[in-house]
Amino acid sequence: MATTSRPRNPALDFRPDPGTIPTDPGCYLWRDRHGRVIYVGKAKSLRSRLSSYFQDVGQLHQRTRAMLETAASVEWIICGSDVESLHLEYNLIKQHRPRFNVRYNDDKSYPYLAVTLAEEVPRAMVRRNPRHDGTRYFGPYAHAYAIRETLDLLLRIYPVRTCSKGVFDRHARAGRPCLLFHIGKCSGPCVGEVTPEEHRDLLDGLMAFIEGDTDGATEELESRMRTEAEKQNYEAAARIRDQLRAMETALAKQVMVTGKKEDFDAISWHADDLEVAFQVFFIRRGRVVGRKGATVDRVEDLDMAELLTRFIVQVFSERVATVGGDAAGREPLTATAKGGADGLVHEPDAATTQVVGKEVLVPELPEDADVLEELLADLRGSRVAIRVPQRGPKREFLDTVRGNAEEAFHQHRLKRAKDFNARSQALRELQEHLGLEQSPLRIECYDISTLQGTNSVASMVVMEDGLPRKSEYRRFKIRGVAGQDDFAMMHEVITRRFRRYLEERDAPLEDESGRPRKFAYPPNLVLIDGGKGQLNAAKRALDELGVEGVELASLAKRMEEVFRPGRSESIMLPRSSEALFLVMRIRDEAHRFAITYHRSLRGKEMVESVFDDIPGVGAARRRALMTHFGTVRAVREATVDELAEVDGISDGLAGRIHQALRPGVRRP
């Protein structure tokens, strides 16, 4: 009897002797046959981690198998500690950009408030894409216009230079200040109205304000205003009063998170099986001073704890090079392998405390949280705690960050869906992977929604050219199937849809009233939400009707697994392919449309059952009650007098309704 041999692990061809692999912490690099790095990982024990790659290939994740099929060699770098290996992994991924590692792509190019401290007379400006040129950065901010408005307000309090070098030099040669000086938004350092040292003092005040240190500036202005008023210099006092109002307006633009002046960072995310959208908010002295987002394709076999660890390392290492690194007079942090001082431990200053807060709030703890805390403490220069808030203002704020991540996730999906090139590529890939004769320009997806066989419904959603065609959406109430039988329900729905198509196929495309017929257009591809059973039921329905030229496929629970009629093996769509995103999007839309209809029927049935046994309450009075109160619960909680206010409800009927809905409650 012939037996089928199991596939062999391709990495066994170049497996190093296990005894030569050290047990130290470190990083490992997989290379292809051309010597290019295709994957970078870290481990507390290199021997233990690398041994897991050489096991039975059937035990490995699909993405890991794909990496091993491409790899031709593996090497490793020993590190002195787990913290060093975290640093080194980040730097190696940044250097080599391996194809099998996840990449955290910024949602967009975020604006920063930049102060060019390397110049003799520094300049404040809004800049994207930070450079390592001695400039101090604050942020990032969500919108450029928001930081520009704030800077414009602060120039009334701290009139620092904002002009370019060319403008500054031109006015210095002419000996005449620009318009900003005359309207009080520049102190005129180009013409010597203030010395470079006095201008630096103004800049220090501006930077302290941006960092959240506002009490000192407010108290100083109030003291100066009182002093000028006592001297009867009312014009000068009025100018300071205007500066205080500008400061109050600028403070109003900085959202206050907690009543305490504390420093922390809040990270949350929204994810599905293919992508994750992260959001991080930076809080200094209780106010939001910056935020950043990133999306990542889940091309590695990593859970959320591991993805969170990678994100934390990346986002705060980048902040060292922007917000903290240059201003503190240090190079961005790097890690070395096995020993050697790398300058990670340093005294905390204004720059480093901007990099990391005292706390990092997360919905769940990342992998190796203690190692991460040590790494972040090195970046900050003092202790950092990673914790999960359970209640209070910080928990509420973390929920707000999660809401921002969810919105960013949906915006990313929408942008990807609207991109014409991506849609065209998705249709081409889908045609190629499923072996379709033509591109599926019109796709119909069907989903069943039921609760233990009650209120069973189905949805049909349509995509044309990769975009939803909502006017073509249809919903079905299951009529001929009793109980929980998804296969029979799918057979009924496909039969009803394509029977209507056959009836309308030869008729005019518009009916007598001029409206387009509902089922006149056949799809290129019918996509079923389910496995082989639902697929076979749909195929049987098409065969019984004699419908030809319509391709069939079903999308299983594992979202990259697609079944086709006549094939015993499933088709695996690549996780990074546009085709998979397209079928996931239409499947999710069909599910949403079916669930919405199912809930509406359940709600309607609940309302009907509540009033069925009350004499005198028919359909009209039922509608009147629901229109007046909105929900069944509100009707239950209403008093007799409140019920009697509804049109068509007499005092006696109101009493009967109250007694029926709240038995045992004494009638007032």
Side-chain angles (χ1 to χ4, degrees), residues 139-300:
Y141 299 92
H143 303 288
Y145 67 81
I147 186 55
R148 286 196 177 98
E149 287 179 1
T150 301
L151 179 59
D152 187 64
L153 288 167
L154 292 178
L155 289 177
R156 301 177 185 274
I157 312 163
Y158 307 104
V160 299
R161 172 197 164 201
T162 57
C163 60
S164 66
K165 188 176 188 305
V167 173
F168 184 88
D169 292 343
R170 185 167 64 250
H171 284 279
R173 289 193 299 269
R176 293 193 306 272
C178 67
L179 177 63
L180 290 174
F181 172 80
H182 295 292
I183 63 175
K185 291 187 176 181
C186 181
S187 54
C190 57
V191 292
E193 291 289 336
V194 293
T195 64
E197 290 74 20
E198 291 170 333
H199 186 263
R200 284 268 179 172
D201 290 340
L202 289 172
L203 267 175
D204 289 341
L206 173 69
M207 291 189 293
F209 186 95
I210 292 294
E211 289 173 348
D213 186 7
T214 59
D215 289 348
T218 306
E219 292 170 1
E220 181 185 351
L221 285 176
E222 288 175 346
S223 175
R224 283 170 51 196
M225 183 177 67
R226 286 193 296 268
T227 301
E228 295 295 341
E230 289 170 0
K231 295 179 180 178
Q232 298 185 352
N233 292 336
Y234 298 118
E235 188 175 340
R239 282 198 299 270
I240 299 173
R241 178 203 61 201
D242 293 341
Q243 290 177 333
L244 277 169
R245 288 176 178 172
M247 181 174 285
E248 290 170 0
T249 305
L251 281 172
K253 291 180 178 294
Q254 289 184 312
V255 180
M256 195 73 183
V257 175
T258 65
K260 301 177 182 178
K261 295 188 175 180
E262 50 190 335
D263 299 348
F264 63 90
D265 304 306
I267 300 174
S268 193
W269 61 83
H270 183 77
D272 65 7
D273 285 349
L274 296 181
E275 288 181 306
V276 184
F278 284 97
Q279 285 280 313
V280 53
F281 280 61
F282 308 106
I283 315 302
R284 298 297 177 265
R285 297 177 183 267
R287 296 182 182 273
V288 178
V289 299
R291 59 173 281 197
K292 192 169 187 178
T295 56
V296 56
D297 290 343
R298 303 180 77 165
V299 298
E300 285 186 70

Side-chain angles (χ1 to χ4, degrees), residues 83-92 94 112 130 132 265 267 280 282 292 308-326 330-335 344 352 354-356 372 375-376 378-380:
V83 175
E84 273 191 27
S85 64
L86 268 177
H87 272 300
L88 184 59
E89 181 191 38
Y90 165 72
N91 286 321
L92 289 172
K94 187 176 181 180
Y112 291 80
H132 305 307
D265 304 306
I267 300 174
V280 53
F282 308 106
K292 192 169 187 178
L308 178 58
T309 297
R310 294 269 187 93
F311 178 73
I312 289 175
V313 172
Q314 173 159 329
V315 75
F316 289 110
S317 296
E318 287 178 353
R319 280 178 67 77
V320 169
T322 53
V323 177
D326 290 331
R330 294 184 304 275
E331 290 297 318
L333 296 179
T334 57
L344 295 185
T352 55
Q354 276 291 304
V355 173
V356 191
L372 265 181
L375 182 147
L376 296 178
D378 287 341
L379 299 184
R380 179 180 169 86

Side-chain angles (χ1 to χ4, degrees), residues 527-532 553-563 570 587:
L527 191 63
I528 305 297
D529 181 16
K532 291 182 179 180
S554 68
L555 187 62
K557 293 292 184 186
R558 290 182 59 190
M559 282 178 270
E560 66 267 32
E561 196 171 22
V562 179
F563 293 100
S570 62
R587 199 280 305 275

Side-chain angles (χ1 to χ4, degrees), residues 423-437:
R423 287 188 284 117
S424 300
Q425 181 182 347
L427 294 175
R428 287 195 304 271
E429 289 179 355
L430 196 58
Q431 178 185 0
E432 177 185 340
H433 289 301
L434 300 188
L436 308 179
E437 292 185 4

Side-chain angles (χ1 to χ4, degrees), residues 376-533:
L376 296 178
D378 287 341
L379 299 184
R380 179 180 169 86
S382 60
R383 185 177 178 274
V384 176
I386 300 174
R387 70 182 193 88
V388 180
Q390 301 298 327
R391 62 185 67 85
K394 291 183 178 179
R395 179 71 222 185
E396 293 173 4
F397 183 69
L398 196 61
D399 291 339
T400 302
V401 179
R402 181 182 54 78
N404 278 268
E406 185 173 356
E407 177 63 22
F409 180 89
H410 293 311
Q411 290 296 325
H412 173 75
R413 277 287 175 87
L414 186 62
K415 180 180 178 182
R416 190 165 188 165
K418 287 184 175 179
D419 183 79
F420 177 76
N421 292 331
R423 287 188 284 117
S424 300
Q425 181 182 347
L427 294 175
R428 287 195 304 271
E429 289 179 355
L430 196 58
Q431 178 185 0
E432 177 185 340
H433 289 301
L434 300 188
L436 308 179
E437 292 185 4
Q438 55 184 340
S439 181
L441 298 180
R442 179 183 170 100
I443 305 174
E444 292 179 3
C445 185
Y446 295 84
D447 184 31
I448 302 292
S449 180
T450 184
L451 181 63
Q452 296 179 345
T454 61
N455 293 315
S456 301
V457 298
S459 65
M460 174 188 113
V461 300
V462 181
M463 281 200 177
E464 292 188 352
D465 294 330
L467 291 175
R469 185 77 179 272
K470 295 197 174 183
S471 62
E472 300 283 321
Y473 286 13
R474 299 290 179 261
R475 55 193 190 185
F476 304 83
K477 192 172 182 180
I478 303 298
R479 300 169 183 163
V481 180
Q484 184 87 28
D485 190 344
D486 287 359
F487 303 159
M489 292 179 192
M490 185 60 68
H491 181 274
E492 176 186 328
V493 171
I494 297 297
T495 300
R496 286 166 57 184
R497 186 267 182 263
F498 283 94
R499 182 182 293 138
R500 287 289 300 274
Y501 160 64
L502 294 176
E503 293 171 358
E504 298 179 357
R505 178 175 54 182
D506 299 325
L509 294 180
E510 296 180 350
D511 59 19
E512 293 78 6
S513 61
R515 291 178 297 185
R517 297 185 182 273
K518 291 183 177 180
F519 298 102
Y521 296 97
N524 301 107
L525 173 65
V526 168
L527 191 63
I528 305 297
D529 181 16
K532 291 182 179 180

